[in-house]
């Protein structure tokens, strides 16, 4: 009996045809030392090679958000993240709930607008970016065989400044996707 169960499992794994999916997400993007977290939104899609392993691409952008403001100066930022990740899903037995992990490479780009309220000649805009290791951990729920929702904590690549300082960023997202 044990041999036939193992044979069925192996055959099911061999017959898995794969499954593409695409979805949208919203959340918050949180860089270190920023006064406010930004509202984030984006799209993602992927392909499940097996029920557990897959590949996922993501584009995430943010709203313009205050990084700092006082009586004399102000700075705002927005960000874009482009990522490609290997994914692993673990479905909890006898439930529609799954845990998801992803690890890959992403480009984290932040645009900053600095305003000097006393001297407009000091105003400037600049962009910083870095590409590196990124990942996330989350929980999902299979609403149906063709649709899922998931919440995920994400860690984005650190941006290294020329002066030796670093900017770390992370975020939380809520996504919904359809499987084809």
């Amino acid at each position: 009996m044990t041999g036939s169960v193992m044979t069925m499992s192996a055959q099911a794994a061999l017959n898995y045809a794969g499954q593409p999916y695409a979805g949208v997400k919203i959340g918050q993007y949180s860089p270190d030392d920023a006064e406010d977290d930004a509202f984030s939104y984006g799209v993602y899609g992927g392909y499940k090679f097996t029920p557990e392993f897959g590949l996922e691409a993501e584009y995430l952008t943010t709203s313009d958000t205050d990084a700092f403001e006082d009586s004399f100066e102000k700075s705002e930022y927005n960000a874009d993240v482009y990522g490609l990740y290997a994914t692993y899903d673990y479905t909890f037995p006898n439930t529609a709930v799954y845990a998801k992990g992803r690890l890959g490479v992403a480009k984290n780009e932040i645009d900053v607008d600095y305003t000097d309220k006393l001297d407009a000649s000091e105003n400037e805009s600049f962009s910083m970016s870095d590409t590196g290791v990124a990942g996330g951990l989350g929980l999902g729920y299979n609403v149906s065989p063709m649709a899922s929702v998931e919440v995920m904590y994400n860690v984005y690549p650190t941006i290294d400044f020329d002066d030796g300082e670093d900017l770390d960023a992370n975020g939380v997202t809520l996504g919904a996707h359809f499987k084809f």
Side-chain angles (χ1 to χ4, degrees):
M1 169 128 174
T2 304
S4 61
V5 170
M6 291 174 66
T7 303
M8 287 188 318
S9 296
Q11 288 174 346
L14 289 175
N15 292 333
Y16 185 79
Q19 186 169 49
Y21 61 92
V24 296
K25 57 175 57 181
I26 61 169
Q28 100 180 15
Y29 178 89
S30 305
D32 285 350
D33 302 327
E35 196 170 276
D36 294 323
D37 295 335
F39 173 73
S40 64
Y41 52 97
V43 294
Y44 67 108
Y47 189 82
K48 303 276 291 191
F49 297 102
T50 71
E52 294 84 20
F53 294 100
L55 189 64
E56 184 172 283
E58 168 186 68
Y59 169 69
L60 190 72
T61 191
T62 71
S63 60
D64 289 335
T65 305
D66 290 339
F68 173 80
E69 184 170 11
D70 66 13
S71 302
F72 305 105
E73 58 187 358
K74 171 182 177 177
S75 63
E76 291 182 332
Y77 73 93
N78 62 53
D80 292 303
V81 177
Y82 308 86
L84 183 62
Y85 308 93
T87 63
Y88 177 79
D89 291 6
Y90 172 79
T91 303
F92 294 100
N94 302 317
T95 70
V97 177
Y98 61 93
K100 180 177 184 176
R102 64 184 196 168
L103 183 64
V105 63
K107 178 180 182 182
N108 186 13
E109 182 176 3
I110 297 179
D111 298 319
V112 178
D113 293 322
Y114 171 78
T115 305
D116 187 314
K117 295 178 181 179
L118 301 176
D119 184 2
S121 69
E122 295 293 320
N123 295 355
E124 67 176 317
S125 295
F126 57 94
S127 181
M128 307 165 290
S129 68
D130 227 329
T131 301
V133 175
L137 291 173
L139 286 175
Y141 181 76
N142 290 309
V143 177
S144 75
M146 300 309 287
S148 298
V149 294
E150 55 190 40
V151 63
M152 184 164 285
Y153 174 76
N154 303 286
V155 177
Y156 305 115
T158 298
I159 296 175
D160 296 321
F161 296 114
D162 292 335
D163 64 3
E165 293 204 25
D166 294 339
L167 176 70
D168 293 322
N170 58 55
V172 176
T173 56
L174 173 64
H177 63 265
F178 291 99
K179 305 168 190 174
F180 306 101

